[in-house]
Amino acid sequence: MNKLLDLLENNARLSNKELAVMLGKTEEDIYNEIKLLEESGVLKGYKAIIDKDKADFETVTALIEIKVQPKYGHGFDHVASRIAALEEVESIYLMSGGFDFAVMVTDKSFQEVAMFVANRLSPLEGVVSTATHFILKKYKEQGILFSDEVKDDRGIVSLC
């Protein structure tokens, strides 16, 4: 992988000056490389990874597996673009296995996610079936550990 992309993927907050020093280039070289990567669509964006539990966000996240009937001549892309256009959909992936797509959705409640699946996702042309899995706890996301060190709170028990 391109060393600049590797550095940005691990810490997008590095300044052009820091990147230049790390890569032995000028700040102008780094600026131009990043601009080219953005314009060509290689760099899609910059986003913070937030521990929503610690930030007291009142949300639930669901992974929804979707089985579809692809449209002749369009394959999975036509259905995927329609699903991706739904504002609730954070991510969509084509998968191998028993389901065709995996979709990530975050909303305020289990009820809202359920209503999204029932009223907006399932009725889409081409969607055959869905299976919704609610995320109960995140331990790691995009290489970042979420859980604090596990503490043993069982106490000491004496049998004497």
Side-chain angles (χ1 to χ4, degrees):
M1 180 190 278
N2 178 313
K3 186 67 174 163
L4 175 59
L5 289 175
D6 192 39
L7 290 170
L8 288 172
E9 185 175 42
N10 288 312
N11 185 357
R13 294 188 66 194
L14 290 170
S15 69
N16 288 354
K17 183 176 184 176
E18 291 169 318
L19 290 165
V21 169
M22 295 168 94
L23 297 172
K25 297 182 177 186
T26 67
E27 281 184 66
E28 185 178 353
D29 289 341
I30 296 299
Y31 173 82
N32 290 330
E33 279 186 56
I34 290 173
K35 184 176 177 183
L36 181 63
L37 290 166
E38 290 171 343
E39 289 172 353
S40 67
V42 172
L43 271 175
K44 296 291 189 183
Y46 306 87
K47 192 168 185 176
I49 299 170
I50 299 168
D51 187 332
K52 293 183 179 180
D53 289 336
K54 286 186 178 179
D56 291 328
F57 282 36
E58 304 260 342
T59 61
V60 295
T61 301
L63 180 136
I64 305 164
E65 296 173 309
I66 306 169
K67 189 174 288 196
V68 300
Q69 178 63 52
K71 202 169 191 179
Y72 181 76
H74 296 280
F76 290 103
D77 294 342
H78 179 71
V79 180
S81 66
R82 294 184 65 217
I83 294 169
L86 298 170
E87 62 193 42
E88 295 89 347
V89 173
E90 292 178 10
S91 305
I92 179 171
Y93 307 98
L94 180 63
M95 303 177 11
S96 63
F99 287 86
D100 301 307
F101 295 114
V103 170
M104 296 297 290
V105 171
T106 299
D107 220 323
K108 294 180 181 148
S109 69
F110 291 103
Q111 177 79 13
E112 287 176 326
V113 172
M115 289 299 98
F116 163 72
V117 173
N119 298 330
R120 301 205 51 209
L121 184 60
S122 293
L124 284 176
E125 181 185 349
V127 172
V128 174
S129 66
T130 64
T132 302
H133 310 274
F134 288 97
I135 306 299
L136 302 177
K137 181 176 180 177
K138 286 185 186 178
Y139 293 95
K140 189 174 186 178
E141 183 175 312
Q142 296 184 31
I144 305 295
L145 288 172
F146 272 59
S147 58
D148 294 327
E149 197 173 305
V150 177
K151 297 176 185 168
D152 186 351
D153 61 354
R154 293 178 289 178
I156 298 174
V157 176
S158 174
L159 298 175
C160 297

